[in-house]
């Protein structure tokens, strides 16, 4: 029989490498907040005649917006992010652009005050924290009839923290390269990861519970290994079909939900790996009191079929 759980420390090593990459990326690049979290204004302008990016930047610099973040879309639209603009400042900016480049259309304008941005960031952090605590309590309750149910809940939360950290870290890396910002779609994606990870992990844990009740083996490690094998196909098939759907949304819906899709795709891959290979392995480590093996002091016994 395939020995998945016997290689648990190799899976822990892979997770450790991903976590290190995530932490280094966050330390070096951080997350670039959108105006929902940092305050400011975003103005989108579309000109009737094509405008060169360098010419547009020159006019912005002459107006004193040297620190503005300006992006040009494939359709020739300019997206300007700057400090919070008053009505007079926005009118003056558009008037100057009209006189310099001709008629324009204001596609959109959003402005967020520092107070609203601070409140949004706080509420987002509270939402994620409440979700984490809720999942811990739910998993502990769901497996209350198993020996030491709190361990099951804790292993789930540790795996979930891994998923979130890896997702945020990789998003930070890609965001630095591609200029992505952390917005409300990003937070929505993080909360969605919580739900997806719960679903995948519960499937594996529930099969472990059934196999232990059915007396598959007195050795908990054997029970976990068989449960991993029995749920591997289901977990992979479910994740692949969701990834295909997300890829279609990314290609055909586009920018408005880009961050949500990217975050969910990264989290789905990390969560599937975690649910099948990491979280069950943590339970075995806890059951066999193998924490010292992380320092290489103890050799594991092989799994018997």
């Amino acid at each position: 029989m395939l020995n998945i759980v016997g290689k648990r420390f190799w899976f822990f090593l892979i997770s450790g490498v991903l976590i290190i990459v995530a932490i280094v990326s966050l330390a070096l690049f951080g997350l670039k907040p959108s105006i929902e979290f940092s305050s400011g204004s975003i103005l989108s302008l579309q000109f009737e005649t094509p405008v060169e990016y360098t010419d547009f930047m020159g006019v912005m610099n002459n107006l004193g917006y040297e620190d503005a973040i300006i992006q040009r879309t494939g359709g020739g639209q300019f997206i300007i992010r700057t400090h919070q603009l008053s009505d007079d400042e926005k009118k003056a900016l558009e008037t100057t652009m009209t006189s310099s480049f001709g008629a324009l259309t204001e596609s959109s304008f959003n402005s967020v005050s520092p107070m609203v941005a601070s409140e949004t960031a706080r509420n987002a952090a509270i939402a994620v924290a409440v979700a984490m605590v809720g999942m811990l309590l739910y998993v502990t309750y769901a497996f209350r009839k198993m020996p030491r149910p709190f361990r099951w809940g804790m292993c789930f939360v540790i795996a979930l923290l891994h998923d979130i950290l890896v997702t945020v870290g990789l998003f930070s890396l890609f965001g630095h390269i591609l200029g992505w910002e952390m917005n409300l779609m990003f937070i929505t994606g993080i909360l969605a990861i919580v739900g997806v990870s719960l679903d995948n992990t519960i499937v594996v844990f529930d099969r472990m519970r059934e196999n232990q009740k059915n007396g598959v083996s007195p050795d908990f490690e054997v029970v976990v290994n068989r449960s991993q094998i029995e749920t591997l196909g289901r977990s992979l098939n479910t994740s692949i079909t969701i990834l295909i759907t997300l890829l279609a949304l990314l290609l055909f819906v586009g920018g408005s939900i880009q961050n949500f899709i990217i975050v969910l795709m990264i989290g789905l891959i990390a969560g599937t790996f975690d649910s099948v290979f990491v979280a069950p392995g943590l339970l075995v480590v806890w059951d066999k009191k193998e924490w010292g093996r992380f320092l290489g002091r103890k050799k594991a016994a092989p799994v018997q079929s």
Side-chain angles (χ1 to χ4, degrees):
M1 183 169 60
L2 182 65
N3 185 5
I4 297 177
V5 73
K7 300 177 178 62
R8 56 189 174 277
F9 284 93
W10 286 105
F11 298 131
F12 295 161
L13 178 61
I14 295 173
S15 293
V17 171
L18 291 175
I19 289 173
I20 291 173
V21 171
I23 292 174
V24 170
S25 177
L26 287 171
L28 293 177
F29 311 126
L31 291 169
K32 185 167 65 175
S34 65
I35 63 168
E36 291 99 334
F37 298 101
S38 62
S39 78
S41 297
I42 290 184
L43 175 64
S44 299
L45 300 177
Q46 180 75 51
F47 295 90
E48 291 186 0
T49 57
V51 177
E52 293 295 328
Y53 182 82
T54 54
D55 295 337
F56 188 88
M57 285 293 298
V59 174
M60 289 293 294
N61 290 336
N62 292 335
L63 288 172
Y65 293 100
E66 294 89 351
D67 59 344
I69 299 174
I70 302 172
Q71 294 176 299
R72 184 179 181 182
T73 67
Q77 179 175 291
F78 288 89
I79 302 175
I80 307 165
R81 176 181 170 178
T82 184
H83 63 268
Q84 189 177 4
L85 295 175
S86 65
D87 291 339
D88 291 338
E89 288 175 324
K90 182 170 77 74
K91 183 177 180 180
L93 174 61
E94 292 181 347
T95 299
T96 303
M97 289 297 174
T98 301
S99 62
S100 300
F101 304 115
L104 60 80
T105 302
E106 178 186 311
S107 303
S108 64
F109 176 72
N110 295 294
S111 188
V112 177
S113 68
M115 181 179 296
V116 173
S118 176
E119 182 178 351
T120 301
R122 185 181 68 253
N123 290 341
I126 292 173
V128 174
V130 168
M132 296 287 289
V133 174
M135 295 304 174
L136 171 61
L137 296 176
Y138 171 75
V139 175
T140 301
Y141 177 79
F143 293 89
R144 64 192 182 279
K145 295 183 179 180
M146 300 300 295
R148 303 179 184 88
F150 185 73
R151 289 184 180 182
W152 297 66
M154 280 302 301
C155 288
F156 168 77
V157 170
I158 292 171
L160 182 57
L161 285 172
H162 165 275
D163 298 343
I164 293 176
L165 179 58
V166 169
T167 302
V168 173
L170 292 181
F171 186 89
S172 169
L173 179 61
F174 296 146
H176 173 72
I177 298 172
L178 302 174
W180 296 342
E181 294 181 341
M182 178 186 67
N183 57 14
L184 291 178
M185 284 287 101
F186 172 89
I187 300 299
T188 304
I190 293 297
L191 292 173
I193 289 173
V194 174
V196 172
S197 294
L198 173 66
D199 179 66
N200 282 333
T201 307
I202 286 295
V203 168
V204 182
F205 279 16
D206 195 54
R207 183 59 59 89
M208 289 162 55
R209 176 173 57 184
E210 290 179 4
N211 285 336
Q212 192 166 20
K213 286 184 176 180
N214 293 335
V216 169
S217 171
D219 188 344
F220 184 64
E221 186 174 348
V222 175
V223 172
V224 171
N225 190 68
R226 175 167 295 187
S227 302
Q228 289 173 304
I229 294 172
E230 292 174 349
T231 57
L232 179 60
R234 182 268 184 195
S235 297
L236 290 178
N237 290 335
T238 301
S239 297
I240 289 172
T241 54
I242 296 176
L243 282 173
I244 293 173
T245 303
L246 291 175
L247 183 60
L249 287 172
L250 183 62
L251 293 175
F252 295 103
V253 176
S256 61
I257 58 172
Q258 169 190 281
N259 286 3
F260 171 77
I261 296 174
I262 295 298
V263 166
L264 195 51
M265 290 177 73
I266 297 173
L268 181 64
I269 295 172
T272 302
F273 174 79
D274 235 2
S275 300
V276 178
F277 303 110
V278 177
L282 286 174
L283 272 175
V284 173
V285 168
W286 206 332
D287 180 72
K288 293 182 174 293
K289 298 180 173 59
E290 293 179 333
W291 299 112
R293 281 198 62 197
F294 286 108
L295 301 176
R297 295 198 301 262
K298 184 178 179 181
K299 185 176 180 180
V303 175
Q304 300 178 4
S305 58

